[in-house]
Amino acid sequence: METNPDFSALINETRKVLCISEQEKPLHRLSPRSHLNRSEMAQKSRLPAPYGVPVLAVLLLPCLVTGVELAINNSSDNQILSTKPGRNESLWCTVRNNSRAEELRWYRGDGTVNLKDGNKMNTTNICILPVSKTDNGVSFTCKLVRNESIQISVTLDVQFPPLLTGEDPPPVEEKNDVKLTCNVNSNPQAEMVWYKDNSTLTLKKERYQIYHTSEVFQLTIKKVEKSDNGTYTCEAKSVLGEMRKEFHLTVEDRKPVFPLEAIIAAIVVVLLTVIFGIVARREKIFKCFKKTKETPSETAL
């Protein structure tokens, strides 16, 4: 009896994956010369099926499970999808190497995406209509329901030109510090520069301080002077475009500062002195009032 070469190769590959010992007993096949009478054949037919078939099925099951993989838009690797605001993006998730119908589930970040019943088995599709700036960096993950360790993800890279926002600072007195905060939203990240009255600002370390993140470009001016009055411009540039935002700074004369604490202390001292004086001379004061009441008024004739 000749063995199907594909079947033999499948068995050998299964044994390699599951690390079956080479010392296990070989399978015995019945030779055409085997002498079995009809009673023996009938008895064997009533015995349980040979162990080879179910064991082979058990051995092949892990291969069938682990062989299943997912693909998004025909790619079986996690990927980054570059897009722009306003576009419509469609993501198709498909099961590969499956031997049965598989249910799929989509996630947006950590939350599940609601799917219709006809959009869950073997192939599933979601649409982002339209893409917005807030979708930047968001991951969409497709998972196998019966084994969520089998999954694949797409992360959106939403690219857009710089957008700047911010407000003018309130008028500030001389010798105080002031901050100009320029909020930036850009992908890819923009290059940032400060200008004063349309000229590049020379950043002296003892007077200026820059705080820069992917979302904030802040200028701090220490101990402002009247010469710091003017228009400050925040500029952002990227490969997709550029934008400017103006901030108007008004520096006022320093108002005289009264020693409020000293004035309050002096008032308290005066009040206490008056009170103690009244208490110390209360007897004389009372006598004076008493004499005034007892002495009758005299009229000159």
Side-chain angles (χ1 to χ4, degrees), residues 110-148:
D110 296 328
T112 58
V113 178
N114 294 326
L115 301 174
K116 295 182 179 180
D117 291 338
N119 189 25
K120 297 180 180 180
M121 305 304 296
N122 294 336
T123 298
T124 179
N125 166 251
I126 59 172
C127 296
I128 302 112
L129 305 173
V131 174
S132 67
K133 294 178 182 179
T134 57
D135 293 320
N136 185 46
V138 175
S139 293
F140 291 86
T141 304
C142 178
K143 296 184 180 182
L144 202 68
V145 170
R146 68 183 176 94
N147 183 1
E148 290 200 345

Side-chain angles (χ1 to χ4, degrees), residues 79-121:
Q79 53 187 298
I80 296 176
L81 177 61
S82 295
T83 184
K84 292 183 178 180
R87 284 186 180 177
N88 298 333
E89 296 293 348
S90 181
L91 303 178
W92 288 88
C93 180
T94 307
V95 184
R96 292 179 176 178
N97 303 329
N98 56 311
S99 60
R100 69 177 194 182
E102 297 286 359
E103 184 179 353
L104 302 173
R105 182 178 295 144
W106 276 104
Y107 290 83
R108 186 186 192 277
D110 296 328
T112 58
V113 178
N114 294 326
L115 301 174
K116 295 182 179 180
D117 291 338
N119 189 25
K120 297 180 180 180
M121 305 304 296

